[in-house]
Amino acid sequence: MIEYTQMEAWFLTGSQHLYGPETLRQVDRDSRAIVDGLNAAGTLPVKIVFKPALKTPEEIAAALRDAEASPSCIGVVTWMHTFSPAKMWIGGLSRLRKPLCHLNTQFNRDIPWSSMDMDFMNLNQSAHGDREFGYICARLKVRRKVVVGHWQQPAVQERIATWLRAAAAWSDSQSLKVARIGDNMRQVAVTEGDKVEAELRLGYSVNGFGIGDLIARVEAATDEQIDHLCDQYASSYDMADALAPLGPRHDSLREAARIEVGLRAFLEEGGFHAFTDTFEDLHGLAQLPGLATQRLMADGYGFGAEGDWKHAALVRSLKVMGHGLPGGSSFMEDYTYHLDPLAPAVLGAHMLEVCPSLAAARPSCEVHPLGIGGKSDPVRLVFDAATGPAVLASVIDMGSRFRMVVNVVDVVEPFEALPKLPVARALWKPRPALETAAAAWIYAGGAHHTAMSLALNPEHLEDFAVMAGIEYVLIDENTDLRQLRNELRWNDAAYDR
């Protein structure tokens, strides 16, 4: 349900008529070679499309207008091969809403010391042509990413690839529909927010549905559909004996499958790619949809518990950004601390809903009491998360704007077994340290819910935040609490003026 093949980014090269037709033909040849080279490198997740050099205000405005109108174009990459007077770009840029990546490169990597003449200098003016373009972007307050370096360098290609992934998620967000099944968990603050402002700022729509809308689909599930899913479960997971076909709890597995059939049908019929539920509104369901939610996330759906629509949408965006990368992304929650001074860590989990894309090994399918919700014991996948660097991200409504808070963490193996904790979980060490990271998170107002990714890095999320025009707060190995608190004050002044 995530597909990059229908997406593209346009490569727009700036020049002008000053240099004559032969120079302009060379500009096009060089630009096409760069596009072909980037596409052939195997690094970019989305195809770059060459467009002829732009030489007049009319050509620029038309190209950016066409990019804006194209449903397949998720953003534009700009480069000034020669000097391109920036007043020519005002009309087009002032109307551009799609993401922009400014590539400050040049066709040749090295200066040709012995052969360089004025013809060469006139053609290869990126060093100051891109500064002219940079000025007008700054003057117009165009949100953009600037990538500097030779286009054949892997590090440059990786930064473009990161931007393309964020642009793909941003494009997806513009048509994303989030189904809120039930309401918010009662009295909880951080999962609330302004859904109208979210649609204006972030693109996605959030609409509520009664649990009865879901129950109708659940009750319509056929035995054939349920049998098919139970066979899938048996082949995909280590099945607890009690859930086997002749086991005493096999009916619980069939009920979990019935819920998955109904929930999947509800989402597909409505064109939803993210959803929420709440254990405080389960009327008509035999058990909380744990297994169904985990499997839907593994297929690319976003999810937020207790009505948390902001993190349902964020999980979906992380899924789109991480498509095809090793590692996974999931809804997550900071659950409990390990405050040993020698090895402080955080145990993350949720009641049931952690995506198996994070799993270190084949998950186990089990059924256990939940203790809340007042329903039958739910079926769920149990596993430990894979280890490695990860990001935790939270989007919160600050009243006057949305803020994204990101913490870089290192997921580690549990220090001991957890035989009595039958949920999917991850143990991590926050950077720079638990005490600093937790204090920074709390100062910033980050939610107790997060979207976690082992596939992405902070640059993906920063690029996405820039595209959205929302505040971005990073907590990593360089975080200093005094500086971070100052940053939050400055951001208040910048956004609330």
Side-chain angles (χ1 to χ4, degrees):
M1 61 176 299
I2 299 172
E3 184 58 68
Y4 282 170
T5 57
Q6 302 303 312
M7 300 178 179
E8 61 188 31
W10 292 6
F11 194 87
L12 305 181
T13 305
S15 188
Q16 58 178 319
H17 280 296
L18 177 66
Y19 307 108
E22 180 51 43
T23 296
L24 292 175
R25 283 192 289 269
Q26 188 63 49
V27 166
D28 274 348
R29 286 193 291 268
D30 291 348
S31 297
R32 189 183 293 276
I34 290 176
V35 169
D36 291 344
L38 290 173
N39 286 329
T43 304
L44 307 189
V46 172
K47 179 178 64 175
I48 304 291
V49 175
F50 164 81
K51 297 292 179 179
L54 304 175
K55 306 171 289 296
T56 67
E58 294 75 19
E59 290 179 358
I60 292 168
L64 293 176
R65 184 172 59 246
D66 291 347
E68 192 67 41
S70 170
S72 59
C73 178
I74 63 171
V76 297
V77 180
T78 58
W79 172 52
M80 306 303 114
H81 194 321
T82 66
F83 195 78
S84 180
K87 285 179 64 178
M88 296 196 304
W89 289 83
I90 292 174
L93 288 176
S94 61
R95 294 170 178 82
L96 181 68
R97 296 182 60 193
K98 288 191 175 178
L100 188 152
C101 176
H102 180 191
L103 177 58
N104 179 210
T105 190
Q106 61 186 27
F107 184 71
N108 57 297
R109 192 194 70 173
D110 301 330
I111 293 175
W113 303 101
S114 61
S115 62
M116 184 168 61
D117 55 19
M118 286 308 301
D119 288 339
F120 181 92
M121 290 283 281
N122 285 334
L123 175 64
N124 297 281
Q125 298 188 54
S126 303
H128 75 291
D130 279 321
R131 282 166 170 75
E132 169 77 354
F133 181 76
Y135 163 74
I136 206 62
C137 287
R139 177 66 177 80
L140 296 175
K141 296 181 173 57
V142 175
R143 298 193 296 267
R144 66 211 190 275
K145 178 174 188 172
V146 178
V147 177
V148 181
H150 193 253
W151 55 276
Q152 290 179 318
Q153 292 173 340
V156 169
Q157 295 167 1
E158 286 289 347
R159 295 201 67 206
I160 297 172
T162 296
W163 174 83
L164 286 169
R165 290 184 174 279
W170 178 247
S171 177
D172 179 80
S173 182
Q174 303 316 292
S175 58
L176 175 62
K177 296 170 63 179
V178 182
R180 202 179 192 209
I181 304 170
D183 200 359
N184 191 60
M185 183 179 174
R186 300 176 194 121
Q187 307 299 330
V188 177
V190 77
T191 52
E192 292 282 18
D194 187 337
K195 294 188 282 291
V196 173
E197 185 64 23
E199 190 163 349
L200 286 169
R201 174 63 63 183
L202 297 162
Y204 58 79
S205 63
V206 183
N207 288 288
F209 296 85
I211 190 71
D213 295 316
L214 172 61
I215 296 303
R217 275 75 170 186
V218 172
E219 291 178 345
T222 67
D223 286 342
E224 182 181 7
Q225 290 173 310
I226 293 170
D227 290 342
H228 177 69
L229 270 186
C230 287
D231 289 342
Q232 281 191 16
Y233 299 159
S235 63
S236 302
Y237 316 118
D238 293 336
M239 192 65 61
D241 291 341
L243 295 175
L246 299 179
R249 303 301 301 275
H250 185 63
D251 285 347
S252 295
L253 186 70
R254 293 186 64 81
E255 189 59 38
R258 182 186 302 277
I259 292 172
E260 180 178 342
V261 171
L263 182 53
R264 195 177 288 274
F266 173 80
L267 297 172
E268 289 177 352
E269 289 170 19
F272 302 110
H273 287 162
F275 69 100
T276 74
D277 60 25
T278 172
F279 64 87
E280 290 183 324
D281 189 359
L282 296 175
H283 181 73
L285 285 181
Q287 58 181 261
L288 190 68
L291 178 60
T293 299
Q294 289 179 294
R295 285 172 50 83
L296 284 162
M297 273 195 287
D299 287 343
Y301 284 90
F303 171 76
E306 290 102 45
D308 192 347
W309 51 270
K310 294 189 295 298
H311 286 89
L314 183 59
V315 169
R316 167 63 182 183
S317 292
L318 265 61
K319 293 284 187 182
V320 175
M321 276 187 264
H323 178 60
L325 293 176
S329 301
S330 177
F331 178 74
M332 185 57 71
E333 180 172 274
D334 293 54
Y335 233 100
T336 191
Y337 292 145
H338 184 67
L339 293 177
D340 178 355
L342 298 179
V346 178
L347 182 67
H350 203 254
M351 294 181 297
L352 303 173
E353 307 98 341
V354 175
C355 179
S357 65
L358 298 182
R362 182 178 163 102
S364 173
C365 188
E366 305 176 14
V367 59
H368 299 276
L370 184 59
I372 58 176
K375 294 292 181 177
S376 301
D377 300 343
V379 178
R380 81 291 302 269
L381 300 177
V382 178
F383 57 85
D384 291 317
T387 60
V391 288
L392 296 170
S394 174
V395 170
I396 53 175
D397 187 341
M398 296 299 293
S400 59
R401 80 263 189 198
F402 290 102
R403 170 184 287 168
M404 179 185 286
V405 186
V406 175
N407 188 196
V408 182
V409 303
D410 294 289
V411 182
V412 297
E413 293 183 359
F415 301 150
E416 297 183 29
L418 294 160
K420 296 184 178 181
L421 184 66
V423 297
R425 61 266 172 150
L427 184 72
W428 64 79
K429 296 181 177 181
R431 300 184 194 176
L434 189 153
E435 295 87 348
T436 301
W441 192 273
I442 291 170
Y443 277 126
H448 60 284
H449 289 164
T450 61
M452 181 181 198
S453 181
L454 283 157
L456 305 174
N457 61 53
E459 189 174 359
H460 292 97
L461 294 163
E462 183 175 11
D463 284 353
F464 184 85
V466 168
M467 293 170 191
I470 64 176
E471 181 185 0
Y472 176 80
V473 177
L474 176 63
I475 304 166
D476 64 3
E477 58 274 12
N478 299 313
T479 294
D480 173 85
L481 277 180
R482 183 177 293 107
Q483 182 65 23
L484 181 129
R485 294 177 71 183
N486 282 333
E487 178 184 339
L488 296 175
R489 293 189 189 99
W490 299 333
N491 288 354
D492 284 342
Y495 283 92
D496 294 344
R497 61 187 178 184

